[in-house]
Amino acid sequence: MNADKVRSITFMAFLVAAAGSAQTPTTLNLSHDLTTGGIASANMAPNTPALDSTPLFQAGVAYAVKHGIATVTADRGSYYFLSQDQTFAHVFLQSVSNLTIDLQYSDLYFANGNVIGLYCKTCSGVTFQNFTMDYINLPFTQVQVTSVNASAMTIGYQTIPGWPNPSTLNAYSVSGSRYFLFVFRNGQQLRQTAWIPATPPFGGSTLQVGVSGLQGAASSNLAAIQPGDTVVVAFRNGGGMLLFQNGSNNTFRNISIYSSAQFAFDIQTVSNTTLDQLQVIPRPGTDRMISSIADGIHISTSGANNVISNSIVRRACDDAIIIDGQWYATVNAPASGDTVAVTLISDSTDTLAAGMSVDFINVANATVFATATITAVNPPVAQQTAGGVVTLTLNQTVAGLQAGYGVIPTDPSFRGGGSVIRGNLVQEEVFNRGIYLPGVRNVTATDNLIDSTNNGGIVIGQDDLSSYSYKTGPASGVVINNNVVNNAMEYGYPTMQTVVNAAAIANYVTNVNYDYVTTMPESNFSITRNLVTNTPRSGIRVQSLNGGTIAGNTILSADLQPASYIDLFSASWGETLQQIEADFAQPIVIADSTGVTNSNNTTTGSILTSASNSSGSVKLAPQSIAVAYGTSLAPATISAPPGTNPTSLGGVSVTVTDNTGTSRLAPLYYVSTSQICYIVPAGTALGVARVTIGSVTGGSLIGAVSPGLSSADGSGSGVAAALALRQSASGVQTPVPVFQCSSSGACTPVPMSLGASTDLLVVEFYGTGIQGRSSLTNVVASAHGIPLQVLYAGPQNQYPGLDQVNVIIPRSLAGAGEVPVVLTIDGQTANAVTIDVM
């Protein structure tokens, strides 16, 4: 048959199917079907840096929506979005519904770091899953310090190989003073510094520090910076990487964001939406110090029943995870009878409708001044715009209503009601808080682990500051249960004013002048069964609260430095410096509150820390190998007899009590005075578990998986502790060394040959936290950005808790040299280790 005729028949069949016959396709593959269906002139071919995926992706999704195709997918690989569909976004989707976009663990690269990557507006019933997002031109760079002049507020620098000069950031249009510096030493944020403003334009070899009301930016702080330190130069502008605005019943799953100039996941005004197994982390296998320049995962003006679960935020430069209840509008002038003119918030798409009950917030004392029901609006909802004026007709006259008062829905369904933040890990938050819940009603934060934050660990807030565009209502019905908060305010420098950071778990209420109030606008908090460790101030503090419970919490090593890092920015804190220091020296503080019970809390004991034996991650999985760290844990070093893992060695046992209250003894590998190696018991429920050894206690986050790869030197980085076999076409297998170690313990990679063109090189990586994977399909690996075929991921079967991942090294890696290997399982990425391919 003529080839052209074959193509014609195939194309016609595609069109007939797409038109809605019984053969309607359920999936559109962007890598194959765009040209076949006449949708675009080219397919979205993977691993083609010069191919612009923006118009191809847009065309494919538009076609799927128009023709009722349920799933859009693409072959796994790297895709480059080089142009912008709109001035504000590379990819812009609108009014998409009932569609799954599954990119099969592909890597998406967007050109410009000051522009939104993917923006979906008024989308419902949509699922985005299985991909990573990063910028080609990052919104930051990294330099090395050569000198510091603290009095002149300047930092001398030299460029770092592979990183552009900060002058390249001058090309971006950045509004206001939104350039910042973050300082790191030996890979960790420098304790005396935090969010430091920078003055553009950049050039030469000197950075000029700007003026800021934030702590950590004074000349005394700069004096702590030394030559050799690393400075991240970043801008915050242009929108987040993934912006999702207005909609319901959506799902975001197995998505990793490696950079963003604003919020990484910017989710606005949604309900019944699930964000599961997400990551906001520095790109694995690189020397990046940060991930997002702003918040990690943020659901703003949240609707009801949203869930953020099983996700990881590491090294974001603002709050890690937020659900909030913001003002919808501001009163323009005193009410006239039953009508009042209000101005909608300028950076929001929220609208006011007839039938809505609203609270009016008195900004002088942060209380609800009055509540009324809207009976009519002008203009109608469809004509309301951000920053526009709306006249409200109310069901009653509200006497005394003043200009500047806030307007916020009364109904919890418009303030996050029923939403849950569960099973998440926050680590090394470069600026601000771990979990932040301002203005919400009936929201729960449970079974999260927050480790090392710049400011508070879990904070409930109400902001009414006149000069701050972010304003929220009073929170109520908040549940904070069974979380671990460690090292709150101990990463970098507590940068926000003291008024915000009174404790590791805290609430605060401020008025129009950013003063604490003595009124009690917030109500009915439940703070129970949390473990708080290592914080310079109080463990738990509630302020301006009407009714609540603080019970069953354990607070260890709080008030470590109650007189340090205090900023009296707020002159009307309401207490003298001596009173503040006295407050901070108490593990639990209840201030200006009523009806709050305080019972059965523990403030004495020793701290135990557990981490993965392979990666050092504080997140563990059932049947993974962990190491517990503490003091005086065992009388001596005792190893289990070969082939056994008893639950007691030298009279020492490890008990793991999960969040259901079930306690199990952990099988042991060895015990010593400062370390105990154990296996997380099978059956341990997911969530926060308590690990106890005698009177020593700690908390761990248990997830279905927590993949870690072993390195040859045991550090969790460097060359992999792996084996390799090269198999010939005839089936002969030859062992190939992966690493070698010197007598000093230093380990280096051994270059591996791929052999003849018909040979197959398989590398066996070892680690832990892997065997609980959902399926082999959800185990993905790459080296130097090149996908690796995974043959096996599961138990090693000789040593309990030890796992193994077998991959084929493709010939496309020939001559690559030493490359990082990145393993992701069910959306969670292991520590990167290296191999050498010759």
Side-chain angles (χ1 to χ4, degrees):
M1 184 179 291
N2 181 279
D4 289 336
K5 188 174 182 180
V6 171
R7 280 192 290 268
S8 177
I9 291 173
T10 303
F11 177 59
M12 288 301 297
F14 186 92
L15 291 180
V16 169
S21 72
Q23 300 177 21
T24 299
T26 59
T27 300
L28 174 70
N29 188 312
L30 300 173
S31 303
H32 300 280
D33 298 336
L34 297 182
T35 56
T36 304
I39 301 166
S41 60
N43 289 317
M44 204 174 87
N47 311 317
T48 312
L51 178 65
D52 183 8
S53 291
T54 298
L56 306 178
F57 184 90
Q58 295 269 172
V61 172
Y63 186 91
V65 171
K66 181 178 180 180
H67 295 278
I69 297 174
T71 302
V72 171
T73 188
D75 291 352
R76 184 188 169 200
S78 297
Y79 296 94
Y80 302 85
F81 295 80
L82 306 178
S83 62
Q84 296 169 207
D85 179 66
Q86 304 286 330
T87 57
F88 49 81
H90 289 89
V91 173
F92 178 62
L93 308 175
Q94 188 166 13
S95 302
V96 176
S97 61
N98 303 319
L99 179 69
T100 294
I101 298 178
D102 182 347
L103 300 182
Q104 301 191 91
Y105 293 101
S106 290
D107 299 311
L108 311 186
Y109 294 91
F110 300 87
N112 299 313
N114 66 329
V115 177
I116 297 166
L118 194 161
Y119 180 4
C120 196
K121 185 175 183 179
T122 57
C123 299
S124 293
V126 171
T127 296
F128 290 96
Q129 63 185 24
N130 302 333
F131 55 89
T132 73
M133 304 179 74
D134 202 357
Y135 283 113
I136 298 171
N137 299 303
L138 294 171
F140 67 92
T141 188
Q142 298 180 180
V143 298
Q144 187 177 65
V145 175
T146 57
S147 63
V148 178
N149 187 329
S151 59
M153 304 287 278
T154 59
I155 301 172
Y157 70 86
Q158 64 183 14
T159 58
I160 296 173
W163 286 96
N165 191 290
S167 61
T168 60
L169 302 181
N170 295 334
Y172 295 102
S173 175
V174 177
S175 61
S177 301
R178 300 175 70 84
Y179 288 94
F180 304 100
L181 310 177
F182 304 96
V183 184
F184 294 82
R185 181 177 297 163
N186 299 322
Q188 298 293 307
Q189 188 176 21
L190 183 60
R191 176 59 170 152
Q192 294 90 334
T193 64
W195 171 297
I196 301 175
T199 302
F202 304 109
S205 58
T206 302
L207 299 169
Q208 180 66 56
V209 175
V211 177
S212 173
L214 295 175
Q215 293 178 258
S219 59
S220 57
N221 301 97
L222 299 187
I225 303 172
Q226 298 176 1
D229 290 342
T230 299
V231 175
V232 176
V233 185
F235 66 77
R236 175 186 285 195
N237 198 68
M241 175 61 89
L242 195 159
L243 172 59
F244 198 96
Q245 198 172 63
N246 301 99
S248 62
N249 300 298
N250 302 292
T251 300
F252 303 85
R253 181 181 294 113
N254 290 353
I255 303 172
S256 296
I257 292 179
Y258 300 140
S259 63
S260 179
Q262 276 280 6
F263 304 160
F265 291 92
D266 188 358
I267 313 299
Q268 303 178 9
T269 319
V270 299
S271 60
N272 299 296
T273 290
T274 297
L275 295 87
D276 185 53
Q277 296 177 183
L278 309 180
Q279 291 188 129
V280 181
I281 59 175
R283 189 173 191 89
T286 71
D287 62 349
R288 296 186 193 179
M289 295 294 176
I290 65 170
S291 53
S292 174
I293 310 301
D295 300 346
I297 303 171
H298 190 147
I299 303 180
S300 59
T301 53
S302 175
N305 303 319
N306 297 308
V307 177
I308 303 174
S309 59
N310 306 313
S311 296
I312 297 173
V313 179
R314 182 179 297 120
R315 297 212 178 180
C317 297
D318 211 323
D319 300 310
I321 299 174
I322 303 182
I323 294 178
D324 72 35
Q326 294 184 44
W327 290 11
Y328 275 39
T330 302
V331 173
N332 288 355
S336 176
D338 62 356
T339 64
V340 58
V342 303
T343 298
L344 296 172
I345 300 300
S346 61
D347 58 355
S348 172
T349 60
D350 298 315
T351 56
L352 294 167
M356 182 181 289
S357 174
V358 293
D359 295 336
F360 293 96
I361 308 300
N362 181 338
V363 295
N365 59 22
T367 61
V368 175
F369 177 79
T371 300
T373 299
I374 301 171
T375 59
V377 294
N378 183 28
V381 170
Q383 297 175 24
Q384 295 177 21
T385 59
V389 175
V390 179
T391 299
L392 308 180
T393 302
L394 307 176
N395 69 328
Q396 63 190 45
T397 298
V398 182
L401 194 61
Q402 299 297 311
Y405 280 18
V407 183
I408 187 171
T410 309
D411 189 342
S413 296
F414 294 98
R415 294 165 66 177
S419 296
V420 178
I421 300 174
R422 177 180 58 239
N424 303 286
L425 172 63
V426 174
Q427 283 187 297
E428 299 179 344
E429 199 62 10
V430 176
F431 172 70
N432 235 335
R433 295 152 288 219
I435 293 176
Y436 185 36
L437 301 170
V440 298
R441 303 190 67 180
N442 305 340
V443 172
T444 296
T446 184
D447 287 295
N448 303 284
L449 195 158
I450 298 96
D451 183 33
S452 300
T453 51
N454 181 257
N455 291 323
I458 302 177
V459 179
I460 310 162
Q462 179 181 348
D463 284 305
D464 296 328
L465 179 62
S466 61
S467 61
Y468 189 27
S469 62
Y470 186 84
K471 297 178 174 65
T472 60
S476 65
V478 177
V479 175
I480 302 174
N481 174 67
N482 201 42
N483 303 281
V484 175
V485 180
N486 182 49
N487 290 320
M489 294 170 280
E490 291 279 58
Y491 194 69
Y493 195 97
T495 47
M496 296 295 285
Q497 293 74 22
T498 302
V499 68
V500 177
N501 295 302
I505 298 176
N507 81 303
Y508 69 91
V509 179
T510 59
N511 67 6
V512 65
N513 298 315
Y514 208 43
D515 301 330
Y516 255 158
V517 299
T518 56
T519 55
M520 291 171 282
E522 301 198 307
S523 60
N524 300 322
F525 293 176
S526 175
I527 304 174
T528 58
R529 296 177 59 222
N530 301 285
L531 173 63
V532 178
T533 53
N534 300 315
T535 183
R537 299 176 183 166
S538 301
I540 298 173
R541 177 181 176 124
V542 293
Q543 180 95 19
S544 304
L545 181 63
N546 182 7
T549 300
I550 303 173
N553 302 284
T554 300
I555 303 172
L556 305 177
S557 293
D559 54 77
L560 295 175
Q561 296 173 288
S564 299
Y565 317 117
I566 293 179
D567 175 22
L568 296 180
F569 173 84
S570 178
S572 299
W573 166 277
E575 297 182 351
T576 65
L577 176 61
Q578 291 74 22
Q579 288 173 319
I580 293 170
E581 292 175 355
D583 277 357
F584 287 177
Q586 300 177 52
I588 297 176
V589 176
I590 301 171
D592 296 323
S593 299
T594 187
V596 179
T597 61
N598 179 2
S599 62
N600 300 317
N601 298 293
T602 300
T603 58
T604 59
S606 299
I607 301 172
L608 187 73
T609 301
S610 289
S612 165
N613 181 62
S614 294
S615 66
S617 172
V618 294
K619 186 175 183 179
L620 306 173
Q623 301 185 78
S624 66
I625 303 174
V627 178
Y629 300 91
T631 57
S632 303
L633 299 179
T637 299
I638 306 172
S639 296
T644 69
N645 296 104
T647 56
S648 178
L649 284 173
V652 176
S653 297
V654 175
T655 301
V656 179
T657 304
D658 64 25
N659 66 357
T660 70
T662 303
S663 296
R664 299 174 176 86
L665 292 175
L668 304 175
Y669 270 104
Y670 70 83
V671 300
S672 70
T673 57
S674 60
Q675 298 181 21
I676 294 180
C677 186
Y678 68 96
I679 302 170
V680 179
T684 300
L686 307 187
V688 165
R690 295 290 179 96
V691 182
T692 56
I693 302 172
S695 62
V696 186
T697 187
S700 291
L701 177 60
I702 309 298
V705 296
S706 181
L709 293 175
S710 300
S711 63
D713 63 4
S715 68
S717 62
V719 63
L723 300 175
L725 288 172
R726 188 169 56 244
Q727 180 173 302
S728 69
S730 62
V732 176
Q733 294 183 341
T734 304
V736 177
V738 178
F739 65 92
Q740 58 186 5
C741 298
S742 66
S743 58
S744 67
C747 300
T748 56
V750 175
M752 298 181 294
S753 171
L754 292 168
S757 61
T758 55
D759 287 354
L760 195 65
L761 180 64
V762 177
V763 177
E764 301 174 357
F765 295 91
Y766 296 94
T768 196
I770 294 166
Q771 59 188 268
R773 61 171 177 76
S774 60
S775 68
L776 192 61
T777 303
N778 289 328
V779 179
V780 294
S782 64
H784 201 49
I786 296 175
L788 307 177
Q789 182 181 350
V790 179
L791 301 176
Y792 174 80
Q796 187 265 350
N797 288 327
Q798 183 178 2
Y799 300 100
L802 183 65
D803 295 329
Q804 177 177 332
V805 178
N806 297 354
V807 303
I808 296 174
I809 305 300
R811 305 206 72 82
S812 55
L813 276 174
E818 188 171 356
V819 294
V821 175
V822 177
L823 174 72
T824 299
I825 300 178
D826 290 332
Q828 298 190 34
T829 303
N831 54 304
V833 293
T834 63
I835 58 174
D836 195 325
V837 184
M838 58 186 296

